[in-house]
Structures are given as C-alpha cells and as structure tokens.
Amino acid sequence: MGRRISGWRLGCGTVRAYGVSAAMRLRRRFAVALLVLGLLAACSAEAPAPRLADEPSSGDGFVSVAAGSGHWCGLHSDGSIRCWGHNDAGQASPPDGEFVTVSAGGSHTCGLHVDGEIECWGDGYAPPSGRFASIDMGSSNGCGLRVNGTADCWGWHHGGSTPGGVFAAVAAGLVHSCGLRAGGQVECWGRDWDGQASPPDGEFASVSLGIDYTCGLRVSGTIDCWGSDELGLTYPPSGEFAAVDAATSHACGLRADGRLQCWGNNTVGEASPPDGEFVAVSVGYGLSCGLRPGGEIECWGDNRGGLASPASRDKFTAIGAGSQHSCGLRADGAIVCWGSDDHGQASPPGGEFAAVSAGSGLSCGLRSGGALQCWGRFWDGQASPPGGEFTSVSLELYYSCGLRVGGAIECWGSDTLELPSRLGSEFVALDTGQNHACGLRADGTLQCWGRNGDDLAAPDGEFASVSLGDDYYSCGLRIGGTIECWGATDHSLASPPGGAFSAIAVGEGSGGHACALQDDGVVRCWGRDDHGQASPPDGVFTAVAVGSRHSCGVRRDGTVQCWGSDGSGQASPPSDEPSPTNWAEPASPPTTP
C-alpha cells in the first residue's frame, strides 16, 4: 500500500492546496512545509479548537483517495468517507461524520475529523487522543503528526522509536517509517535490511513508503527511490513530477501536467494507468486508483472482489441480495445489479420498475403495471413467470413464486413447491425457502407449507412480515416489532436480538445469517459471521437485504453499502463515476540508467 506524505493541514488555521494546479502544488509544497512550522509556533494552549481544514468543496465528487491492503476509501466533497473492497474486519465500513483526511492500512482505516481527532475502524490498534494535523496508516500501525509538529506512532510495527523534534509530515510503513523535517531532509527509522530507511541527502517535498523501498519527491520535482531494487522499483522515470506514491511492488508518479506514469510489477495492469489528467494517485497491492479533476475516481489493475469499483453514489430506494450478486432499484426506477453475472443475473433490462428481487443466479423486476420480468438462470423455467399482474415475487434456486394482485400465490419452475389444497387467495405477503414457503394473510396469521404440499407449523398470533432461509428456518416480524424465529438452530439463528424492528431478512444458502432493521434505522445481524456478513456498519439505514454470505443496506441518503463476502463483487455496489479500467496492457519496464 502506498504511504504518501502530502495534503498539508495544520495548526490554528488551514494550509491547503485544493484548487491549484499540479505544477503550482509542486513549486509550493516545500514552501508550505516551512509555513507549517510558522503556524505551529503561532498556536497556543489557549487558542480555540481549530478546524484543521476548510469545508470540502461543493460538487458531487471525491477530493482524495486512499489505498489499503485489499480495500480502498475515498473522501467525498461533503466530508463523508466511502470505502469499497475487502471488509472482513470492517475496514471498509466507515463511520458517519465529517472528515478532512482518510488513510487506509492493512485491515484497518483511520480518518481525521475536522476537530483534529482520529477515528479508526477495522482490525487495528486504538489511536492516541489529541489534535492531529495529518495521519498515515501502515500495515498494522499508524503515525500521526500532532498540531505541535511532533510525530506519534501506534500499533504493531518494526519501526523502532519515533525520533523527537518537529516534523512537517510523517509516514508509516510495514517495517520502517519516515518523516520530513522542516529543511526538507528525510529522516527514517526502523528496519533497514535493504537500505529502505537510509535516505539520500538533499531537500524533498514528500516521501512514500513501500515495504522494502522508499521513494521521495525532491523539491526540484524529480523522484529518487532507495532500498530493494527488485522489479526496478528504485529506478523511477526521469522528468518533473508533482507527486509519487509507492506500494508493495509498483509505484506511480503524477506528472506536473496531470499525466500518470507507473513502474515496477505490472502482472495485472496495475502499472498501466489510463490516459488523461489526474490530480492525485494512490497505489495498493495489485491495484492503482487516480482522482480526476472533476472528483471522479478511476482504478486499474486487479479487480477481483470488485476492488476497482469505487463506492456507490447512486441513489436507491430498494435493494435485493442474491447468492453472489445484488440488485438495487434506483430512484428513477432503473435497476442496477453487480457481482456474479455467469447466468446474466446481473444484467437487468432497461426501463422503469417498481420492485426488484435477487436469487441464486436469477433476478426479477416488477414493472409499474404489475408485470414480472426476469433474467438469469432459465434452465428450469424459474425465470419465465406467467402473465398477469403481481404485487411481489420471491426467488429460489429451482423455482419462483409470485403474489398476484388479488392475493393469490402462484409458483413456476422446476421442482416447484406443491401448493396446499387449502391455500386461499387472501395473502398480502410471501417468501420462499429452499424447501418451504410461507404466506402472510390479511389478518396477520401465517400459513407455511413444505415441498410435498403439507402444512408446516407456524407460530400463532399476528405478524407484519416473514422471511425464510434454508432447512426450514423461518423468522417473522410481530406486529409489535419483535422478532420470532423457528426451525433450524445452527449458528444461533433461532436467537434473534431483542428490541423493536421494522424489517427482517434471512439469508439463503450456507451463509447462515439474518439481519433486521431497528426502528431507529440501525441494522442488527446474527448467525454465522465467517465472512463478516453479520457485522453491519454503523449508521442509519432504510432497508436491508441478505444474500448467502453478504448483506446490503440502503442508507438514509439513498446510497447502498454492503458487507461480507465479496468474491464475485456482490458487496461492491456500482459507482456513478466512469467505469474503471480494470485490465491494461503491460507497460514497458523502466529503463535502468
């Protein structure tokens, strides 16, 4: 992951280069480092708590991007943080609030609030308290620059003791760390087995840390790298640059004219940036992302797990989670799907819809006139609904069932559950499991039946909704908002949380988990959590959907956030930014001088 020292935000006021050209940033960066020290000297203990940065600029875009080890985060212009990629430890589930900086590490991420306090999430060590001007995350550690100019590092690392004195910036790596002194000298500490902690003399404007090598941007605009020479990493291209970022096995530099040039490993195209102008670059393991002048994030390299798919900014009104894909209903009625598309289940038709449902290799949408349209797995007829008007649809592996406008239930596909002879036409809701189905009657009572059409026992009393999993496991939401579950008891599924809820969703397949939406909008999950599918992010949601090993929720602002397994990109909602360049032709290796 790249460790870049840049983006000055200091002291009793703000020093910030937003809005200036890349060339101007290059010429001013060292002067800014000196100005930083002046600001630090002007601060006093009696000074009011500062805002360490101006309010983010207006406009619907990002102002920075940060690379972790398998996850990425962007700081939006409204001060919120959006993350995507691996989320097994919650590192891609940022908290709400307004931030001025974000930095991503191994399985953790930290953000700097406008008041200078650090907040971290994921699997990491608690940061120190106090007011900071900048932060930088390493693999299992972090370093921050306090407003008085001293460096403070925390977590597990081989970085040695942090030197005293005043710095202009500081960066954290896996086995070494570096700081930039006021005179532009780079000082490093920690492991030095390949010379990565032995910087050359001279004045630098910024420094970025790989694992066993380091790159620095000189005041003149040239890049100088030192440490391990594997893959030509210590032989950067010549010429003038405005920024540099180094990762495990490749690095990228931002030219003064906004073009990107990368070097090092290029196995999956991570060192082959797209054409055009950028204002920032951040590189991680096998993947690179750049920030366009308009605030769009564009990524290239390894897109396994949807890593090259920046966080969603689309506005959704409903969400459906299938086995390895997800679909959302946008505010304009269009359906957008992401994740596995091996059967075409993530390729919805155009037009306006009123509802969407995602199953195992199959998706269906309800048109505004009540007609059903399905796409994906067709071989058993489960994607060929009958004509007529429906109000909802529920999908399973081999069959589908729909609720007609008059309250009757109709099913289709191979291995369809045989409907009981006593099944009436007064239902208001329906859900299906692999081996059973349940209908909610107008009076709030449930009727459930199994594969042979026999009635299955359901609890007495009134319910507001019902959701079914596999192996005859079911959960119902009572009229009063409490949850009652029955059937299989694996992974503590039959012990839902207490409290008042407004919605419930039970997962399918081997995921073995369920989630519910509290009255206050907080999502609570229970059951198996081996992929993080039962560890929802904080914040307020308006809807929740559960797949096999992942879950998704719709935020109050209409954006979608997912958590859990992302092996097919099912937990990486699409971005409204331009499609990233995922795979590029290998670049020519840098010329050795």
Side-chain angles (χ1 to χ4, degrees):
M1 67 210 75
R3 307 272 70 83
R4 183 176 65 257
I5 295 177
S6 60
W8 310 96
R9 299 175 176 88
L10 257 295
C12 301
T14 299
V15 179
R16 197 170 178 184
Y18 291 109
V20 302
S21 68
M24 290 178 67
R25 285 196 300 270
L26 173 65
R27 289 192 291 269
R28 295 180 182 176
R29 187 171 285 130
F30 182 60
V32 167
L34 297 178
L35 179 58
V36 160
L37 297 178
L39 284 172
L40 294 175
C43 293
S44 67
E46 291 76 26
R51 292 179 67 85
L52 298 182
D54 295 332
E55 293 293 336
S57 59
S58 61
D60 188 28
F62 291 91
V63 296
S64 68
V65 60
S69 179
H71 75 291
W72 294 76
C73 294
L75 178 68
H76 203 260
S77 59
D78 61 5
S80 64
I81 292 174
R82 307 281 171 171
C83 300
W84 62 99
H86 296 319
N87 196 34
D88 53 319
Q91 65 268 40
S93 297
D96 295 331
E98 187 178 355
F99 295 84
V100 295
T101 300
V102 63
S103 183
S107 297
H108 66 292
T109 310
C110 293
L112 187 66
H113 281 287
V114 293
D115 61 359
E117 292 287 338
I118 301 172
E119 184 173 3
C120 300
W121 53 97
D123 185 13
Y125 294 83
S129 60
R131 292 160 50 207
F132 286 80
S134 65
I135 55 173
D136 192 70
M137 298 300 108
S139 179
S140 301
N141 60 304
C143 287
L145 183 70
R146 291 190 178 272
V147 294
N148 63 4
T150 59
D152 196 347
C153 298
W154 66 93
W156 182 91
H157 64 95
H158 298 287
S161 300
T162 305
V166 176
F167 288 90
V170 65
L174 176 63
V175 295
H176 74 299
S177 302
C178 294
L180 188 67
R181 293 290 188 182
Q185 298 82 20
V186 174
E187 183 175 352
C188 300
W189 57 97
R191 299 290 178 88
D192 195 32
W193 51 55
D194 289 301
Q196 67 265 40
S198 298
D201 295 332
E203 297 179 6
F204 289 83
S206 68
V207 64
S208 184
L209 281 59
I211 290 180
D212 50 8
Y213 75 104
T214 306
C215 289
L217 179 69
R218 291 194 177 272
V219 175
S220 62
T222 60
I223 295 175
D224 198 352
C225 300
W226 57 94
S228 173
D229 185 33
E230 187 178 3
L231 300 172
L233 288 169
T234 56
Y235 293 98
S238 59
E240 185 179 355
F241 289 83
V244 63
D245 202 35
T248 304
S249 57
H250 78 292
C252 292
L254 177 68
R255 292 279 186 187
D257 62 2
R259 291 181 297 111
L260 291 177
Q261 189 167 356
C262 305
W263 62 98
N265 187 52
N266 197 40
T267 305
V268 291
E270 64 267 47
S272 295
D275 296 331
E277 185 180 354
F278 291 84
V279 297
V281 64
S282 186
V283 297
Y285 183 76
L287 185 67
S288 307
C289 288
L291 184 67
R292 293 285 191 183
E296 304 89 2
I297 295 175
E298 187 167 356
C299 303
W300 57 97
D302 188 355
N303 193 35
R304 287 175 295 181
L307 292 180
S309 302
S312 168
R313 292 298 298 180
D314 280 345
K315 305 298 183 183
F316 291 88
T317 60
I319 186 73
S323 178
Q324 296 183 28
H325 78 293
S326 305
C327 292
L329 180 68
R330 286 198 321 209
D332 60 3
I335 291 176
V336 179
C337 300
W338 57 95
S340 176
D341 197 33
D342 52 342
H343 298 286
Q345 67 268 37
S347 298
E352 186 175 347
F353 290 85
V356 64
S357 182
S360 180
L362 174 67
S363 304
C364 289
L366 182 69
R367 295 285 187 183
S368 56
L372 286 175
Q373 187 170 357
C374 301
W375 55 97
R377 194 195 305 266
F378 272 90
W379 57 53
D380 293 303
Q382 65 269 51
S384 300
E389 297 182 19
F390 290 83
T391 60
S392 66
V393 63
S394 184
L395 311 178
E396 267 304 318
L397 180 62
Y398 299 108
Y399 74 99
S400 305
C401 290
L403 181 66
R404 289 204 174 269
V405 172
I409 294 173
E410 186 170 353
C411 301
W412 58 93
S414 175
D415 201 21
T416 299
L417 292 184
E418 182 182 345
L419 300 180
S421 58
R422 295 182 300 280
L423 196 67
S425 60
E426 66 278 11
F427 291 92
V428 295
L430 161 76
D431 200 35
T432 57
Q434 183 175 346
N435 297 303
H436 70 305
C438 290
L440 178 68
R441 295 187 182 276
D443 61 2
T445 60
L446 292 175
Q447 182 176 354
C448 302
W449 61 96
R451 184 170 297 279
N452 59 1
D454 293 337
D455 285 326
L456 298 177
D460 295 330
E462 296 182 34
F463 289 85
S465 65
V466 63
S467 184
L468 277 58
D470 291 345
D471 300 324
Y472 299 102
Y473 175 67
S474 309
C475 286
L477 183 67
R478 290 283 187 182
I479 296 296
T482 59
I483 296 172
E484 184 172 352
C485 299
W486 60 98
T489 58
D490 293 344
H491 315 297
S492 303
L493 278 173
S495 300
F501 295 84
S502 60
I504 185 172
V506 178
E508 62 173 26
S510 58
H513 76 295
C515 294
L517 187 68
Q518 290 185 169
D519 284 348
D520 60 3
V522 174
V523 173
R524 299 277 301 278
C525 301
W526 65 98
R528 180 177 288 175
D529 196 32
D530 51 336
H531 294 274
Q533 66 267 42
S535 297
D538 296 332
V540 176
F541 291 83
T542 60
V544 65
V546 174
S548 178
R549 294 182 177 88
H550 78 290
S551 308
C552 293
V554 180
R555 290 279 190 186
R556 189 163 50 188
D557 63 358
T559 58
V560 169
Q561 187 169 2
C562 301
W563 55 97
S565 176
D566 197 34
S568 299
Q570 66 268 37
S572 295
S575 169
D576 59 359
E577 321 296 352
S579 297
T581 303
N582 299 332
W583 299 92
E585 292 296 325
S588 300
T591 303
T592 302

